[in-house]
Amino acid sequence: MLLDVKWAVRWLTMCAEAMAENRAWLIELDRPIGDSDHGENMDRGFQAVLEKLAEAPPETPGAALKLTAMTLMSKVGGAAGPLYGTAFLRAATAFGDALEVDPAGLATALMAARDGIVARGKAESGDKTMVDAWTPAAEAAQAAADGTGNVLAVLVAAAEAAEAGAVATDPLVARKGRASYLGERSAGHRDPGAASSALILRAAVGAAA
Ligand code: ADP
Ligand code: MG
């Protein structure tokens, strides 16, 4: 199996569902170490993506991700909007005009997305940001693609690593973003952007299963 535009549209649709379902949880995570808007931002952003997909159905996975990037940049705001916008744009560029994406292409796109987040936000691993979900996810995806990997195995590896990475932000002290203003008091809370990143990568599995 390869990933085509139907998968991409299903993925983005499942992202929108996940953000709506987890809106309150993401708001709750952003309350103690942020400004309680992350769930609202992500839900609004992905609802707008659904509208754009209906208005102008994309013909390639890359086009679907590019439309998503542009929409998230304009609708999400805050720190997360430009970061996710860059991630989806880099992944779209990596997919190019291909009608179908293979395991190697998928792993390359996930690494490009991670690199885009790092280039834009300048966070390192351990800074308690979405990078702590994306870096292990991209590395696990690469390892799965280098193995016998099929696309579903690559997506599962990425989602599992992102989920573990998000949980592992709990004890960290934030060094980037709004949570860093709290210093040591940011420890003991999960990073909301790492949590939403894991939801996005889990949705990618659901869309391919
Ligand atoms: P804001 O912080 O502007 O309210 P959100 O609440 O939507 O924006 O998003 C916060 C999330 O953005 C954080 O949980 C973190 O994962 C991510 N983030 C913030 N700054 C950075 C950064 N410099 N690099 C990577 N991720 C970041
Ligand atoms: Mg916030």
Side-chain angles (χ1 to χ4, degrees), residues 112-163:
R114 185 219 91 106
D115 290 347
I117 293 168
V118 171
R120 166 69 69 154
K122 309 276 185 283
E124 293 173 11
S125 291
D127 282 354
K128 196 179 181 94
T129 71
M130 60 174 73
V131 171
D132 293 320
W134 281 93
T135 296
E139 286 171 355
Q142 191 63 64
D146 290 345
T148 55
N150 56 53
V151 282
L152 185 58
V154 174
L155 290 171
V156 168
E160 285 177 353
E163 284 159 358

Side-chain angles (χ1 to χ4, degrees), residues 50-148:
L50 288 190
E51 285 166 27
K52 295 279 180 199
L53 287 170
E55 268 168 43
E59 290 179 2
T60 63
L65 299 200
K66 187 169 178 194
L67 170 154
T68 302
M70 298 307 169
T71 309
L72 295 180
M73 279 194 207
S74 70
K75 299 285 181 186
V76 174
L83 290 164
Y84 276 127
T86 304
F88 277 97
L89 195 57
R90 295 278 185 106
T93 303
F95 283 173
D97 293 332
L99 288 174
E100 293 184 315
V101 177
D102 66 8
L106 173 60
T108 299
L110 290 172
M111 194 58 85
R114 185 219 91 106
D115 290 347
I117 293 168
V118 171
R120 166 69 69 154
K122 309 276 185 283
E124 293 173 11
S125 291
D127 282 354
K128 196 179 181 94
T129 71
M130 60 174 73
V131 171
D132 293 320
W134 281 93
T135 296
E139 286 171 355
Q142 191 63 64
D146 290 345
T148 55

Side-chain angles (χ1 to χ4, degrees), residues 10-67:
R10 257 197 318 270
W11 176 24
L12 299 165
T13 304
M14 292 178 89
C15 283
E17 287 166 6
M19 295 309 151
E21 275 166 24
N22 290 281
R23 177 190 165 105
W25 180 57
L26 294 172
I27 288 172
E28 226 27 70
L29 292 180
D30 199 28
R31 188 184 309 284
I33 59 168
D35 55 357
S36 316
D37 66 350
H38 191 61
E40 202 180 312
N41 291 343
M42 296 303 291
D43 185 25
R44 184 179 58 246
F46 275 98
Q47 288 305 319
V49 168
L50 288 190
E51 285 166 27
K52 295 279 180 199
L53 287 170
E55 268 168 43
E59 290 179 2
T60 63
L65 299 200
K66 187 169 178 194
L67 170 154

